[in-house]
């Protein structure tokens, strides 16, 4: 019975995922956009890290002190850019994509315009939805987070990060668009580099911000579809022509 229950649950999850994907394709197929169904993940980085646990234990006299923050690192190494986890990994910028795909199983979707379909928006904060977007010869990281910026008032924050340097990020413009029930909402900005912290981008509010009631206006049965388009910056194109 236990085996049957587990298998039946897996089948139901698969059916639910295929149904969500079918609905999204039916809605956006006319525009020729690729659809990526993204399931939520409760962020593990808010849990105490091993380093924090070690420091707490040290104060109690049970473990040696943790010197993680005192270590001298190679300036060419960057920390893990996945906002879901407190991952201790460090590496060069050109291998960040491989780390995200192999270690954190982050999906990657290719195309100039795609649709990011986040499921189960009703789940309590903090919750994250994340994918990689390959476009114009670069990889971008789209992060959607449900977080309580004020106690008892969860909000949704969506931002696009370039897996590259800040100088490279300035060459692009990204657009996030919500469109449902004869309502349309757009956010357009320059992506930030993954060398910057996603948390700081969200705390600064330099991203698409939705309160719960606004997110519900654009959601469909607990799923939120966000259209994504990335273009090269017109400002830099003009400078290049001059």
């Amino acid at each position: 019975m236990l085996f049957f229950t587990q298998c039946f649950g897996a089948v139901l999850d698969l059916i639910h995922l295929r149904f969500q994907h079918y609905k999204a394709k039916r809605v956006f197929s006319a525009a020729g956009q690729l659809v990526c169904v993204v399931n939520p993940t409760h962020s593990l980085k808010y849990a105490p890290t091993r380093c924090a646990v070690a420091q707490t234990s040290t104060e109690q006299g049970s473990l040696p002190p943790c010197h993680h923050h005192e270590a001298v690192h190679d300036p060419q190494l960057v920390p893990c850019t996945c906002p879901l986890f407190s991952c201790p990994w460090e590496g060069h910028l050109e291998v960040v994509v491989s780390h995200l795909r192999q270690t954190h199983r982050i999906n990657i979707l290719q195309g100039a315009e795609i649709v990011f379909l986040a499921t189960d928006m009703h789940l309590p904060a903090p919750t994250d939805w994340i994918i990689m977007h390959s476009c114009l010869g670069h990889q971008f990281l789209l992060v959607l987070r449900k977080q309580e910026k004020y106690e008892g008032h969860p909000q949704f924050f969506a931002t696009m990060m370039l897996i590259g340097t800040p100088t490279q990020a300035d060459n692009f413009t990204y657009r996030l668009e919500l469109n449902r029930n004869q309502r349309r909402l757009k956010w357009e900005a320059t992506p930030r580099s993954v060398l910057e912290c996603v948390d700081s981008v969200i705390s600064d509010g330099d991203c698409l911000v939705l309160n719960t009631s606004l997110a519900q206006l654009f959601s469909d049965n607990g799923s939120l579809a966000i259209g994504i388009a990335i273009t090269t910056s017109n400002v830099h194109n003009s400078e290049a022509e001059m």
Side-chain angles (χ1 to χ4, degrees):
M1 287 295 295
L2 180 61
F3 176 77
F4 174 78
T5 302
Q6 291 176 341
C7 290
F8 185 68
V11 171
L12 286 180
D13 290 340
L14 181 60
I15 293 175
H16 174 72
L17 182 62
R18 294 295 298 175
F19 177 69
Q20 293 286 354
H21 188 265
Y22 170 76
K23 286 202 307 178
K25 288 187 66 176
R26 184 181 59 184
V27 173
F28 295 100
S29 59
Q33 294 174 306
L34 298 174
V35 178
C36 183
V37 180
V38 185
N39 292 322
T41 301
H42 284 285
S43 180
L44 301 179
K45 70 175 186 175
Y46 298 99
T49 63
R50 287 182 297 177
C51 184
V53 171
Q55 287 177 331
T56 303
S57 302
T58 300
E59 294 175 357
Q60 299 174 351
S62 58
L63 287 175
C66 174
H67 299 286
H68 175 74
H69 296 291
E70 298 177 8
V72 178
H73 298 287
D74 185 339
Q76 295 183 340
L77 297 180
V78 296
C80 175
T81 57
C82 183
L84 302 180
F85 307 97
S86 293
C87 178
W89 180 89
E90 286 185 333
H92 292 278
L93 193 58
E94 57 268 20
V95 296
V96 168
V97 173
S98 298
H99 169 74
L100 293 176
R101 297 199 67 182
Q102 296 174 7
T103 303
H104 299 299
R105 306 298 181 186
I106 303 299
N107 291 327
I108 186 168
L109 203 61
Q110 298 183 359
E113 296 186 9
I114 65 174
V115 175
F116 178 96
L117 184 66
T119 65
D120 300 321
M121 302 293 294
H122 61 278
L123 291 177
T127 304
D128 291 309
W129 295 259
I130 180 173
I131 62 167
M132 284 191 292
H133 181 190
S134 179
C135 179
L136 300 175
H138 288 77
Q139 282 73 40
F140 300 82
L141 199 66
L142 178 68
V143 179
L144 173 65
R145 176 176 301 167
K146 184 177 184 180
Q147 179 175 312
E148 288 189 356
K149 197 166 185 180
Y150 306 100
E151 186 175 357
H153 298 280
Q155 293 177 299
F156 294 90
F157 303 86
T159 187
M160 181 75 75
M161 313 285 287
L162 172 72
I163 302 179
T165 65
T167 302
Q168 291 174 321
D170 288 338
N171 294 322
F172 299 96
T173 298
Y174 75 94
R175 184 181 74 245
L176 304 179
E177 180 175 337
L178 292 87
N179 190 354
R180 185 174 181 270
N181 292 336
Q182 298 181 343
R183 297 179 178 88
R184 178 174 296 182
L185 180 64
K186 290 184 180 181
W187 168 266
E188 187 171 292
T190 299
R192 304 282 283 270
S193 167
V194 293
L195 299 178
E196 305 176 58
C197 182
V198 175
D199 292 337
S200 64
V201 175
I202 291 177
S203 62
D204 293 341
D206 186 16
C207 56
L208 174 64
V209 182
L210 304 172
N211 58 30
T212 304
S213 59
L214 190 57
Q216 289 176 348
L217 284 176
F218 290 97
S219 65
D220 181 17
N221 292 325
S223 297
L224 185 67
I226 304 177
I228 307 169
I230 301 176
T231 57
T232 55
S233 175
N234 293 330
V235 174
H236 286 79
N237 287 342
S238 301
E239 292 177 353
E241 293 175 358
M242 295 176 62

